[in-house]
Amino acid sequence: MTTEPLAGTESSGIDRRTLLKTVGGSALAVALAGCTELLEGEQESAADADVPDEPIESGLQTFTEGAPSVLGIQAEYGAETAVRRINENGGIAGREMDLDVVEEGGAYLTNYQQFVDEGKDVTFGPISSSGHAEMVPEIEAQEVINVSTDGTVTTLYEEDFPDVTYSFRFQNHDVMEALAAVNQAVEVLGADSIDTYAGINPNYAFGQDEMNLFSQGIEKLTGAEQVYSGFPDLGTSDMSTHITEINGEEPDVVFSSCWGGDATLLLEQGHANDMFDNTELLVGTVLYGSANDMEEDLVDGPIYSGSRNFYWGEPSTDRWSPAADLVDEVQSEYGVVPTAHFMSGYGAVTAWATAAEKAVSLLGRWPEQEELAMVLENHGFFTPAGYHTMGSDHQGYSNAHFGELTWSDEHDAAALQDVNVFAAKNVSPPPGEISSDWIGSW
């Protein structure tokens, strides 16, 4: 496999003509791509369309409380920022957008049904993979589009619900970040130097899916043997039992998909119990999502993290200014550094909004739910993270990032350095193919 950035995100050559052509000439799409300097003089392509006057009503469910809120509030900030930019740039085909945010908790179905009863035009979320799986049949029954911010279990659209109409997911799914972690480990240590590996992952569908895919990938590329796999409960207060097992086995690589407050706890207790003296490398797919929850001493050691589809330093901000502009805007508005989970909320809203405006341009009127769902399939759009597509299989596809954890004095937060960018086609199978079968064919 090779690292390969998507076209249009690696050079300053993404000029006004190219970007406007790519996004369909829509001022809204340009604004959501983060290129507000291109807006002056642009014409709305849907200005004469038959569009209702009332605002678009939308709802987001995300974690706003407890350890998961470390990621969930980032998604809320992202969705709010996208909605703010939409309204500041004239709305979607002239319609402004309202966003209600509710606590995700364990109330996935209740939240979605409440949004539908309230007449929401679109819903976003959840974060949880288990909650997303629980929601899909109800979304298909209610026929109101939901764009999940996360809920990234690979089998969801590959095997469990392969033929859906109204259920979509913005974020890269698990196979993309698990295989990015495999490739990162091989690059750092070398395939011939990885003989053993272990894992500490959350004890539910997401953690089990990520560990399974990492195991398949690293065993294919290196022939390594798994010596330990532990699954602490989500939101646990103690990982010492698992860390003791790691210290006893001294694996070459430790893999973890712990997230939110659990990611911070893993680093805290790993340092306190000398875990980083007993392994060559920790690769964590979403450790960086907790960047604003980490102290400087926690990033010491051989620790690498993924950042799903967004890291604000890659492409470098002198070549792709929208990412730098977004960091400044978010730090000013919320006092945090945006992570990939900020992009979960921002991207989910952007996917739907740009597809809605495209549908209005095609139809000359506001689309029905089924029509908008058809436009969302194979829909391509920009955000400050670069270019994304919503596949025909309803999976989101974009570059995956992985780099070494470090500390940024400039932003007073954890950061990544020496970032690798993995194109979607190199860490996920083609739409319609099962990930496990694809890895098995290597």
Side-chain angles (χ1 to χ4, degrees):
M1 293 185 178
T2 59
T3 60
E4 184 176 326
L6 284 177
T9 62
E10 64 172 343
S11 76
S12 58
I14 189 160
D15 58 17
R16 177 188 180 91
R17 181 186 299 274
T18 300
L19 183 56
L20 287 173
K21 182 179 178 181
T22 304
V23 301
S26 160
L28 172 66
V30 173
L32 288 169
C35 302
T36 52
E37 69 273 18
L38 298 179
L39 290 175
E40 186 178 355
E42 296 306 323
Q43 301 297 315
E44 288 287 355
S45 58
D48 299 326
D50 182 11
V51 174
D53 293 331
E54 61 265 25
I56 296 160
E57 299 296 335
S58 66
L60 166 71
Q61 57 174 317
T62 186
F63 289 112
T64 61
E65 302 171 356
S69 68
V70 173
L71 302 190
I73 289 177
Q74 283 267 336
E76 177 183 352
Y77 291 163
E80 289 175 349
T81 300
V83 169
R84 185 167 61 249
R85 287 183 171 187
I86 287 168
N87 292 337
E88 287 174 351
N89 288 279
I92 303 171
R95 296 183 69 182
E96 291 202 346
M97 190 169 187
D98 293 334
L99 177 70
D100 289 340
V101 180
V102 300
E103 160 63 19
E104 182 174 325
Y108 318 106
L109 275 180
T110 301
N111 288 337
Y112 176 76
Q113 289 163 345
Q114 178 181 330
F115 284 154
V116 172
D117 291 343
E118 292 170 351
K120 296 287 192 278
D121 298 286
V122 61
T123 67
F124 303 105
I127 298 282
S128 167
S129 292
S130 298
H132 191 197
E134 188 177 344
M135 286 172 57
V136 171
E138 187 65 17
I139 295 166
E140 294 302 298
Q142 294 288 350
E143 300 182 349
V144 175
I145 291 172
N146 182 80
V147 183
S148 176
T149 52
D150 296 271
T152 54
V153 166
T154 299
T155 53
L156 184 78
Y157 292 131
E158 287 186 354
E159 301 178 53
D160 299 335
F161 304 103
D163 185 21
V164 292
T165 300
Y166 302 96
S167 176
F168 294 85
R169 173 168 58 203
F170 167 73
Q171 268 289 11
N172 291 347
H173 46 302
D174 292 349
V175 67
M176 301 174 73
E177 52 194 19
L179 294 185
V182 169
N183 281 275
Q184 184 68 60
V186 169
E187 176 174 310
V188 173
L189 298 181
D192 293 340
S193 298
I194 301 175
D195 296 320
T196 57
Y197 71 97
I200 301 177
N201 291 273
N203 189 24
Y204 73 115
F206 167 72
Q208 293 157 4
D209 189 47
E210 292 240 339
M211 185 64 196
N212 177 50
L213 291 162
F214 179 83
S215 297
Q216 292 179 54
I218 200 162
E219 288 178 14
K220 270 287 183 180
L221 291 189
T222 70
E225 176 189 2
Q226 178 179 297
V227 293
Y228 179 73
S229 180
F231 292 93
D233 290 338
L234 193 65
T236 185
S237 61
D238 186 7
M239 295 190 185
S240 60
T241 300
H242 305 286
I243 291 170
T244 298
E245 293 286 345
I246 297 292
N247 286 339
E249 296 290 347
E250 299 187 359
D252 296 315
V253 178
V254 176
F255 171 76
S256 180
S257 56
C258 286
W259 57 277
D262 288 355
T264 311
L265 183 68
L266 174 65
L267 296 183
E268 289 174 345
Q269 296 195 345
H271 279 291
N273 291 281
D274 301 322
M275 184 176 78
F276 299 105
D277 293 333
N278 293 303
T279 183
E280 297 295 321
L281 184 67
L282 169 66
V283 283
T285 52
V286 283
L287 295 175
Y288 186 70
S290 305
N292 294 285
D293 196 42
M294 295 178 186
E295 301 292 337
E296 184 173 358
D297 59 343
L298 293 186
V299 306
D300 288 341
I303 307 168
Y304 285 71
S305 175
S307 187
R308 287 197 168 161
N309 60 10
F310 178 58
Y311 178 63
W312 45 268
E314 181 59 43
S316 63
T317 51
D318 60 340
R319 290 185 291 140
W320 179 238
S321 61
D325 295 342
L326 184 69
V327 172
D328 292 342
E329 179 179 341
V330 173
Q331 287 208 298
S332 175
E333 182 72 22
Y334 301 109
V336 299
V337 172
T339 69
H341 294 84
F342 177 96
M343 195 52 60
S344 295
Y346 189 100
V349 172
T350 301
W352 183 86
T354 52
E357 188 157 89
K358 181 190 292 183
V360 171
S361 297
L362 292 170
L363 298 170
R365 58 173 171 78
W366 192 259
E368 301 292 335
Q369 290 281 343
E370 185 175 9
E371 293 170 331
L372 182 44
M374 292 176 64
V375 174
L376 260 169
E377 289 188 356
N378 295 313
H379 175 55
F381 56 97
F382 272 100
T383 72
Y387 189 68
H388 315 259
T389 58
M390 187 67 73
S392 59
D393 55 0
H394 292 215
Q395 314 257 38
Y397 292 94
S398 53
N399 285 347
H401 301 81
F402 230 100
E404 183 177 10
L405 266 182
T406 186
W407 188 259
S408 169
D409 290 331
E410 177 184 0
H411 297 291
D412 194 29
L416 299 178
Q417 65 182 5
D418 299 328
V419 175
N420 280 322
V421 182
F422 300 92
K425 67 179 183 180
N426 292 331
V427 288
S428 64
E433 191 167 341
I434 303 297
S435 291
S436 293
D437 294 344
W438 180 65
I439 296 171
S441 70
W442 292 355

